[in-house]
Amino acid sequence: MATVAIVYFSAQGHTHQLAEAVAEGARGVNGTTVELVRLVGADIVEGRWKNPSVLAKLAAADAIVFGTPTYMGGYAAQFKAFIDTSSEVWMAQGWKDKLAAAFTHSQNLSGDKQSTLIGLWVNAMQHSMVWVSPGIKVEGYDADKLNRLAGYGGVMAQTAWGQEKVNEGDRKTAVLLGQRVAETAVRWVKGK
Ligand SMILES: Cc1cc2nc3c(=O)[nH]c(=O)nc-3n(C[C@H](O)[C@H](O)[C@H](O)COP(=O)(O)O)c2cc1C
């Protein structure tokens, strides 16, 4: 059995919808267990994030999918606080050889989401993880099309100001990321 954990922050629910889509895709793969882990700001005290039960769930996972809104061209501060605490895991290389993948959401078409994904990739490389790309070609540029924002390193999603539901193309792209990570994790665990 392969375990895929999806760890994310979401203030207004859009990144949460994407996390659920990633989970849907992963759950559809035989032999996969999914852990959805939503980070909360209340776990940050004096700038330091702390939640041992979240870290225990991630320690038990074979793959970790990271998700955060893009704020000022990078991670949300709440997510960064979690990443900073993961330096304690880094000391022991506790996430070494786990699979990693990522998604981000923002309001603008670009909004500098690439910068967020690169930051998440750097974090995964520091942890000696193995990156899984979405593996999805651009289907078109309309809101219902797969990978319409051309995120080849991770899933990019965009929702306009005032729009509650994420666009269907972005949601479906996140489902496929979850599926690909889970399929890869099943193969990864078999080969151990
Ligand atoms: C502090 C802050 C900074 C933001 N910076 C950006 C940005 O750089 N680019 C962008 O497109 N949207 C930006 N936004 C919009 C957020 O990306 C958007 O609110 C978020 O993705 C919504 O996700 P959520 O519903 O999961 O909280 C910003 C929003 C906030 C609150």
Side-chain angles (χ1 to χ4, degrees):
M1 189 61 88
T3 304
V4 176
I6 301 148
V7 62
Y8 66 101
F9 172 73
S10 179
Q12 293 167 319
H14 301 89
T15 314
H16 171 69
Q17 291 172 52
L18 294 171
E20 296 222 300
V22 174
E24 179 188 323
R27 281 196 194 104
V29 175
N30 272 343
T32 309
T33 306
V34 175
E35 282 277 7
L36 258 182
V37 185
R38 185 172 184 166
L39 302 174
V40 292
D43 285 342
I44 303 168
V45 178
E46 294 191 354
R48 292 293 288 170
W49 178 89
K50 193 176 172 185
N51 188 325
S53 79
V54 166
L55 291 180
K57 281 180 189 162
L58 300 182
D62 301 293
I64 305 176
V65 186
F66 300 94
T68 173
T70 289
Y71 282 180
M72 300 307 287
Y75 314 141
Q78 293 87 341
F79 199 83
K80 181 68 166 83
F82 152 73
I83 290 291
D84 286 356
T85 297
S86 81
S87 63
E88 294 162 14
V89 178
W90 170 85
M91 293 281 271
Q93 286 288 285
W95 293 348
K96 186 173 185 184
D97 295 341
K98 292 184 190 297
L99 303 179
F103 58 98
T104 187
H105 173 275
S106 89
Q107 187 184 323
N108 298 287
L109 279 169
S110 160
D112 294 318
K113 284 186 273 294
Q114 180 81 341
S115 169
T116 306
L117 291 177
I118 290 171
L120 294 170
W121 173 81
V122 169
N123 168 63
M125 295 303 99
Q126 290 207 347
H127 280 284
S128 306
M129 300 175 84
V130 178
W131 194 256
V132 180
S133 62
I136 305 161
K137 281 182 77 182
V138 172
E139 188 189 15
Y141 307 113
D142 294 333
D144 62 340
K145 299 298 183 198
L146 289 174
N147 199 10
R148 69 191 175 101
L149 299 171
Y152 287 104
V155 168
M156 295 180 177
Q158 174 268 344
T159 308
W161 177 254
Q163 184 185 332
E164 271 182 28
K165 274 187 84 175
V166 298
N167 290 301
E168 186 55 14
D170 298 346
R171 200 195 68 79
K172 288 189 299 190
T173 305
V175 170
L176 290 181
L177 176 72
Q179 183 184 327
R180 180 167 158 95
V181 169
E183 284 169 353
T184 311
V186 167
R187 288 163 66 185
W188 194 241
V189 167
K190 251 189 215 156
K192 266 189 180 172

Coordinates of all heavy atoms in Angstrom, one line a residue, residues 117-186:
L117 N 6.2 27.6 -7.3 CA 6.5 26.2 -7.6 C 8.0 26.0 -7.5 O 8.4 24.9 -7.0 CB 6.0 25.9 -9.0 CG 4.4 25.8 -9.1 CD1 4.0 25.5 -10.6 CD2 3.8 24.8 -8.2
I118 N 8.8 27.0 -8.0 CA 10.2 26.8 -7.9 C 10.7 26.7 -6.4 O 11.5 25.9 -6.0 CB 11.0 27.9 -8.7 CG1 10.7 27.7 -10.2 CG2 12.5 27.9 -8.3 CD1 11.2 28.8 -11.1
G119 N 10.0 27.5 -5.6 CA 10.3 27.5 -4.2 C 10.0 26.2 -3.5 O 10.8 25.6 -2.7
L120 N 8.9 25.6 -4.0 CA 8.5 24.3 -3.4 C 9.4 23.2 -3.9 O 9.8 22.3 -3.2 CB 7.0 24.0 -3.8 CG 6.0 24.9 -3.2 CD1 4.6 24.6 -3.9 CD2 5.9 24.7 -1.7
W121 N 9.9 23.3 -5.2 CA 10.9 22.4 -5.7 C 12.2 22.5 -4.9 O 12.8 21.4 -4.6 CB 11.1 22.7 -7.2 CG 12.2 21.9 -7.8 CD1 12.1 20.6 -8.3 CD2 13.5 22.3 -8.1 NE1 13.3 20.2 -8.8 CE2 14.2 21.2 -8.7 CE3 14.2 23.5 -7.9 CZ2 15.5 21.3 -9.1 CZ3 15.5 23.6 -8.2 CH2 16.2 22.5 -8.8
V122 N 12.6 23.7 -4.7 CA 13.9 23.8 -3.9 C 13.8 23.2 -2.6 O 14.7 22.4 -2.1 CB 14.3 25.3 -3.8 CG1 15.4 25.5 -2.8 CG2 14.6 25.9 -5.1
N123 N 12.6 23.4 -1.9 CA 12.4 22.8 -0.6 C 12.5 21.2 -0.7 O 13.2 20.6 0.1 CB 11.1 23.2 -0.1 CG 10.7 22.3 1.1 OD1 11.3 22.4 2.2 ND2 9.6 21.5 1.0
A124 N 11.9 20.7 -1.7 CA 11.9 19.2 -1.9 C 13.3 18.7 -2.2 O 13.7 17.7 -1.7 CB 10.9 18.8 -3.1
M125 N 14.1 19.5 -3.0 CA 15.4 19.1 -3.2 C 16.3 19.1 -2.0 O 17.1 18.3 -1.7 CB 16.1 20.0 -4.3 CG 15.4 19.9 -5.7 SD 15.4 18.2 -6.4 CE 13.7 17.6 -6.0
Q126 N 16.1 20.1 -1.1 CA 16.8 20.2 0.1 C 16.5 19.0 1.0 O 17.4 18.5 1.7 CB 16.4 21.5 0.9 CG 17.0 22.7 0.2 CD 17.2 23.9 1.2 OE1 16.8 23.8 2.4 NE2 17.9 24.9 0.8
H127 N 15.3 18.5 0.9 CA 14.9 17.3 1.6 C 15.3 16.0 0.9 O 14.9 14.9 1.3 CB 13.4 17.3 1.8 CG 12.9 18.2 3.0 ND1 13.1 17.8 4.3 CD2 12.3 19.4 3.0 CE1 12.6 18.8 5.1 NE2 12.2 19.7 4.3
S128 N 16.0 16.1 -0.3 CA 16.4 14.9 -1.0 C 15.2 14.1 -1.5 O 15.3 12.8 -1.5 CB 17.4 14.0 -0.2 OG 18.5 14.8 0.2
M129 N 14.1 14.7 -1.8 CA 12.9 14.0 -2.3 C 13.0 13.8 -3.9 O 14.0 14.3 -4.5 CB 11.7 14.8 -2.0 CG 11.5 15.0 -0.5 SD 10.2 16.1 0.0 CE 8.8 14.9 0.0
V130 N 12.1 13.1 -4.4 CA 12.1 12.8 -5.9 C 10.9 13.5 -6.5 O 9.8 13.1 -6.1 CB 12.1 11.3 -6.1 CG1 12.1 10.9 -7.6 CG2 13.3 10.6 -5.4
W131 N 11.1 14.4 -7.4 CA 10.0 15.3 -7.9 C 9.2 14.6 -9.0 O 9.8 14.0 -9.9 CB 10.7 16.5 -8.5 CG 9.7 17.6 -8.7 CD1 9.2 18.0 -9.9 CD2 9.1 18.5 -7.7 NE1 8.3 19.1 -9.7 CE2 8.3 19.4 -8.4 CE3 9.2 18.6 -6.3 CZ2 7.5 20.4 -7.8 CZ3 8.5 19.6 -5.7 CH2 7.7 20.5 -6.4
V132 N 7.9 14.7 -8.8 CA 7.0 14.1 -9.9 C 6.3 15.3 -10.6 O 5.6 16.1 -9.9 CB 5.9 13.2 -9.2 CG1 5.0 12.7 -10.3 CG2 6.6 12.1 -8.4
S133 N 6.5 15.4 -11.9 CA 5.9 16.5 -12.6 C 4.5 16.1 -12.9 O 4.1 14.9 -12.8 CB 6.7 16.6 -14.0 OG 6.5 15.4 -14.7
P134 N 3.6 17.1 -13.3 CA 2.2 16.7 -13.6 C 2.1 15.9 -14.9 O 1.3 15.0 -15.0 CB 1.6 18.1 -13.9 CG 2.4 19.1 -13.2 CD 3.8 18.5 -13.2
G135 N 3.0 16.1 -15.8 CA 3.0 15.2 -17.0 C 1.8 15.4 -17.9 O 1.3 14.5 -18.5
I136 N 1.3 16.7 -18.0 CA 0.1 17.0 -18.7 C 0.4 18.1 -19.7 O 0.8 19.2 -19.4 CB -1.0 17.5 -17.7 CG1 -1.2 16.4 -16.6 CG2 -2.3 17.7 -18.5 CD1 -2.0 17.0 -15.4
K137 N 0.1 17.8 -21.0 CA 0.3 18.8 -22.0 C -0.8 19.8 -22.0 O -2.0 19.5 -21.6 CB 0.4 18.2 -23.4 CG 1.8 17.5 -23.7 CD 1.8 17.0 -25.0 CE 2.0 18.0 -26.1 NZ 2.1 17.4 -27.4
V138 N -0.6 21.0 -22.4 CA -1.6 22.1 -22.5 C -2.7 21.6 -23.5 O -2.4 21.3 -24.7 CB -1.0 23.4 -23.0 CG1 -2.1 24.4 -23.2 CG2 0.0 23.9 -21.9
E139 N -3.9 21.6 -23.1 CA -5.0 21.2 -23.9 C -5.6 22.4 -24.7 O -6.2 22.3 -25.7 CB -6.1 20.5 -23.1 CG -7.2 19.8 -23.9 CD -8.3 19.4 -23.0 OE1 -8.4 19.8 -21.8 OE2 -9.2 18.6 -23.5
G140 N -5.5 23.5 -24.1 CA -6.0 24.8 -24.6 C -6.0 25.8 -23.5 O -5.5 25.6 -22.4
Y141 N -6.5 27.0 -23.8 CA -6.4 28.1 -22.9 C -7.7 28.5 -22.2 O -7.7 29.4 -21.4 CB -5.8 29.3 -23.6 CG -4.5 29.0 -24.3 CD1 -4.4 29.0 -25.7 CD2 -3.4 28.6 -23.5 CE1 -3.2 28.7 -26.3 CE2 -2.2 28.2 -24.1 CZ -2.1 28.3 -25.5 OH -0.9 27.9 -26.1
D142 N -8.8 27.8 -22.6 CA -10.1 28.1 -22.0 C -10.1 27.5 -20.5 O -9.4 26.6 -20.2 CB -11.2 27.6 -22.8 CG -11.3 28.3 -24.2 OD1 -10.9 29.5 -24.2 OD2 -11.8 27.7 -25.1
A143 N -11.1 28.0 -19.8 CA -11.2 27.7 -18.3 C -11.4 26.2 -18.1 O -11.2 25.7 -17.0 CB -12.3 28.5 -17.7
D144 N -11.9 25.5 -19.1 CA -12.2 24.0 -18.9 C -11.1 23.1 -19.4 O -11.3 21.9 -19.5 CB -13.6 23.7 -19.5 CG -13.6 23.9 -21.0 OD1 -12.7 24.7 -21.5 OD2 -14.4 23.3 -21.7
K145 N -10.0 23.7 -19.9 CA -9.0 22.9 -20.5 C -7.9 22.5 -19.5 O -7.5 23.2 -18.6 CB -8.3 23.7 -21.6 CG -9.3 24.1 -22.8 CD -9.9 22.9 -23.4 CE -10.8 23.3 -24.6 NZ -11.7 22.2 -25.0
L146 N -7.3 21.3 -19.8 CA -6.2 20.8 -19.0 C -5.0 21.6 -19.1 O -4.6 22.0 -20.2 CB -5.9 19.4 -19.4 CG -7.0 18.3 -19.0 CD1 -6.6 16.9 -19.7 CD2 -7.1 18.1 -17.5
N147 N -4.3 21.9 -18.0 CA -3.1 22.6 -17.9 C -3.1 23.9 -18.7 O -2.1 24.1 -19.5 CB -1.9 21.7 -18.3 CG -0.6 22.2 -17.8 OD1 -0.5 23.1 -17.0 ND2 0.5 21.6 -18.2
R148 N -4.1 24.6 -18.6 CA -4.3 25.8 -19.5 C -3.3 26.9 -19.2 O -3.0 27.8 -20.0 CB -5.7 26.4 -19.3 CG -5.9 27.0 -17.9 CD -7.4 27.3 -17.7 NE -7.6 27.8 -16.3 CZ -7.7 29.1 -16.0 NH1 -7.7 30.0 -16.9 NH2 -7.8 29.4 -14.7
L149 N -2.6 26.8 -18.0 CA -1.6 27.8 -17.6 C -0.2 27.3 -17.8 O 0.8 28.0 -17.4 CB -1.9 28.3 -16.1 CG -3.2 28.9 -15.9 CD1 -3.5 29.1 -14.4 CD2 -3.4 30.2 -16.6
A150 N -0.1 26.1 -18.4 CA 1.2 25.5 -18.8 C 2.1 25.4 -17.6 O 3.3 25.8 -17.6 CB 1.8 26.3 -19.9
G151 N 1.7 24.8 -16.5 CA 2.5 24.4 -15.4 C 3.1 23.1 -15.6 O 2.4 22.1 -15.5
Y152 N 4.4 23.0 -16.0 CA 5.0 21.7 -16.2 C 5.8 21.2 -15.0 O 6.2 20.0 -14.9 CB 5.9 21.8 -17.5 CG 5.1 21.8 -18.7 CD1 4.9 23.0 -19.4 CD2 4.4 20.7 -19.2 CE1 4.2 23.1 -20.6 CE2 3.6 20.7 -20.3 CZ 3.5 21.9 -21.0 OH 2.7 22.0 -22.1
G153 N 6.1 22.1 -14.0 CA 6.7 21.7 -12.8 C 5.8 21.3 -11.7 O 6.1 20.5 -10.8
G154 N 4.6 21.9 -11.8 CA 3.5 21.6 -10.8 C 2.2 22.2 -11.4 O 2.2 22.9 -12.4
V155 N 1.1 21.9 -10.7 CA -0.2 22.4 -11.2 C -0.3 23.9 -10.8 O -0.1 24.3 -9.7 CB -1.3 21.6 -10.6 CG1 -2.7 22.3 -10.9 CG2 -1.3 20.2 -11.2
M156 N -0.7 24.7 -11.8 CA -1.1 26.1 -11.6 C -2.6 26.3 -11.8 O -3.1 25.8 -12.7 CB -0.4 27.0 -12.6 CG 1.1 27.0 -12.5 SD 1.8 28.1 -13.8 CE 3.5 28.0 -13.4
A157 N -3.2 27.0 -10.8 CA -4.6 27.2 -10.9 C -4.9 28.7 -10.7 O -4.2 29.3 -9.9 CB -5.4 26.4 -9.9
Q158 N -5.9 29.2 -11.4 CA -6.2 30.6 -11.2 C -7.7 30.8 -11.1 O -8.5 30.2 -11.9 CB -5.7 31.4 -12.4 CG -6.0 32.9 -12.5 CD -7.3 33.1 -13.3 OE1 -7.8 32.3 -14.0 NE2 -7.9 34.3 -13.1
T159 N -8.2 31.6 -10.2 CA -9.6 31.9 -10.0 C -9.7 33.4 -9.9 O -9.0 34.0 -9.1 CB -10.2 31.2 -8.8 OG1 -9.8 29.8 -8.8 CG2 -11.7 31.3 -8.7
A160 N -10.6 34.0 -10.6 CA -10.8 35.5 -10.6 C -11.4 35.9 -9.3 O -12.0 35.2 -8.6 CB -11.7 35.9 -11.8
W161 N -11.1 37.2 -9.0 CA -11.6 37.8 -7.8 C -13.1 37.6 -7.7 O -13.9 37.9 -8.7 CB -11.3 39.3 -7.9 CG -11.8 40.1 -6.7 CD1 -12.9 41.0 -6.8 CD2 -11.3 40.2 -5.4 NE1 -13.1 41.6 -5.5 CE2 -12.1 41.1 -4.7 CE3 -10.3 39.5 -4.7 CZ2 -12.0 41.3 -3.3 CZ3 -10.1 39.8 -3.4 CH2 -10.9 40.7 -2.7
G162 N -13.6 37.1 -6.6 CA -15.1 37.0 -6.4 C -15.6 35.7 -6.8 O -16.8 35.4 -6.6
Q163 N -14.8 34.9 -7.5 CA -15.3 33.6 -8.0 C -15.0 32.5 -7.0 O -13.9 32.3 -6.6 CB -14.5 33.3 -9.3 CG -15.0 32.0 -10.0 CD -14.1 31.7 -11.3 OE1 -13.5 32.7 -11.9 NE2 -13.9 30.5 -11.6
E164 N -16.1 31.8 -6.6 CA -15.9 30.8 -5.5 C -15.3 29.5 -5.9 O -14.4 29.0 -5.3 CB -17.2 30.6 -4.8 CG -17.4 31.6 -3.7 CD -18.7 31.3 -2.9 OE1 -19.2 30.2 -2.8 OE2 -19.2 32.3 -2.4
K165 N -15.8 29.0 -7.1 CA -15.4 27.7 -7.5 C -14.1 27.8 -8.4 O -14.1 28.7 -9.3 CB -16.5 26.9 -8.2 CG -17.4 26.2 -7.3 CD -18.4 25.3 -8.1 CE -17.8 24.0 -8.4 NZ -18.8 23.1 -9.1
V166 N -13.2 26.9 -8.2 CA -12.0 26.9 -9.1 C -12.5 26.5 -10.5 O -13.5 25.8 -10.7 CB -10.9 26.0 -8.7 CG1 -10.3 26.5 -7.3 CG2 -11.3 24.6 -8.6
N167 N -11.8 26.9 -11.5 CA -12.1 26.6 -12.9 C -12.0 25.1 -13.1 O -11.0 24.4 -12.6 CB -11.3 27.4 -13.9 CG -11.6 28.8 -13.9 OD1 -12.8 29.2 -14.1 ND2 -10.7 29.7 -13.5
E168 N -12.9 24.5 -14.0 CA -12.9 23.1 -14.1 C -11.7 22.5 -14.7 O -11.2 21.4 -14.4 CB -14.2 22.7 -15.0 CG -14.4 21.2 -15.2 CD -14.6 20.4 -13.8 OE1 -14.7 21.0 -12.8 OE2 -14.5 19.2 -13.9
G169 N -11.0 23.2 -15.7 CA -9.8 22.7 -16.2 C -8.7 22.6 -15.2 O -8.0 21.6 -15.2
D170 N -8.6 23.6 -14.3 CA -7.6 23.5 -13.2 C -7.9 22.4 -12.3 O -7.0 21.7 -11.8 CB -7.6 24.8 -12.4 CG -7.2 26.0 -13.3 OD1 -6.7 25.8 -14.4 OD2 -7.5 27.2 -12.9
R171 N -9.2 22.2 -12.0 CA -9.6 21.1 -11.1 C -9.2 19.7 -11.7 O -8.6 18.9 -11.0 CB -11.1 21.1 -10.8 CG -11.6 20.4 -9.5 CD -13.1 20.2 -9.5 NE -13.5 19.2 -10.6 CZ -13.4 17.9 -10.5 NH1 -12.9 17.4 -9.4 NH2 -13.7 17.2 -11.5
K172 N -9.5 19.6 -13.0 CA -9.2 18.3 -13.6 C -7.7 18.1 -13.7 O -7.2 16.9 -13.6 CB -9.8 18.3 -15.0 CG -11.3 18.1 -15.1 CD -11.9 17.9 -16.5 CE -11.6 19.0 -17.4 NZ -12.2 18.9 -18.7
T173 N -7.0 19.2 -13.9 CA -5.5 19.1 -13.9 C -5.0 18.6 -12.6 O -4.1 17.7 -12.5 CB -4.9 20.4 -14.3 OG1 -5.5 20.9 -15.5 CG2 -3.4 20.3 -14.5
A174 N -5.6 19.1 -11.5 CA -5.2 18.7 -10.1 C -5.5 17.2 -9.9 O -4.8 16.4 -9.3 CB -5.8 19.5 -9.1
V175 N -6.7 16.7 -10.4 CA -7.1 15.3 -10.3 C -6.0 14.5 -11.0 O -5.5 13.5 -10.4 CB -8.4 15.0 -10.9 CG1 -8.7 13.5 -11.0 CG2 -9.6 15.7 -10.2
L176 N -5.6 14.9 -12.1 CA -4.6 14.1 -12.9 C -3.2 14.1 -12.2 O -2.5 13.1 -12.2 CB -4.4 14.6 -14.3 CG -5.6 14.3 -15.2 CD1 -5.4 14.8 -16.6 CD2 -5.9 12.8 -15.3
L177 N -2.9 15.2 -11.5 CA -1.6 15.2 -10.7 C -1.7 14.2 -9.6 O -0.8 13.4 -9.4 CB -1.3 16.6 -10.1 CG -0.1 16.6 -9.2 CD1 1.2 16.5 -10.0 CD2 -0.1 17.9 -8.4
G178 N -2.8 14.1 -8.9 CA -3.0 13.2 -7.8 C -2.9 11.8 -8.3 O -2.2 10.9 -7.7
Q179 N -3.5 11.5 -9.5 CA -3.5 10.2 -10.1 C -2.0 9.8 -10.4 O -1.6 8.7 -10.1 CB -4.3 10.2 -11.4 CG -4.4 8.8 -12.0 CD -5.2 8.9 -13.3 OE1 -6.1 9.7 -13.5 NE2 -4.8 8.1 -14.3
R180 N -1.3 10.7 -11.0 CA 0.1 10.4 -11.4 C 1.0 10.2 -10.2 O 1.8 9.3 -10.2 CB 0.6 11.6 -12.3 CG 2.0 11.4 -12.8 CD 2.3 12.4 -13.9 NE 3.7 12.8 -14.1 CZ 4.4 12.2 -15.1 NH1 3.9 11.3 -15.8 NH2 5.7 12.6 -15.2
V181 N 0.8 11.0 -9.2 CA 1.6 10.8 -8.0 C 1.3 9.5 -7.4 O 2.3 8.7 -7.0 CB 1.4 12.0 -7.0 CG1 2.0 11.6 -5.6 CG2 1.9 13.3 -7.5
A182 N 0.1 9.1 -7.3 CA -0.3 7.8 -6.7 C 0.2 6.6 -7.5 O 0.8 5.7 -7.0 CB -1.8 7.7 -6.5
E183 N 0.1 6.7 -8.9 CA 0.6 5.6 -9.7 C 2.1 5.5 -9.5 O 2.6 4.4 -9.5 CB 0.3 5.9 -11.2 CG -1.2 5.7 -11.5 CD -1.6 6.2 -12.9 OE1 -0.8 6.9 -13.5 OE2 -2.8 5.9 -13.3
T184 N 2.8 6.6 -9.5 CA 4.2 6.6 -9.3 C 4.6 6.0 -7.9 O 5.5 5.2 -7.8 CB 4.8 8.0 -9.4 OG1 4.3 8.6 -10.6 CG2 6.3 8.0 -9.5
A185 N 3.8 6.4 -6.9 CA 4.1 5.9 -5.5 C 3.9 4.4 -5.4 O 4.7 3.7 -4.8 CB 3.2 6.7 -4.5
V186 N 2.9 3.9 -6.1 CA 2.6 2.4 -6.1 C 3.8 1.7 -6.7 O 4.4 0.7 -6.1 CB 1.3 2.1 -6.8 CG1 1.2 0.6 -7.1 CG2 0.1 2.6 -6.0

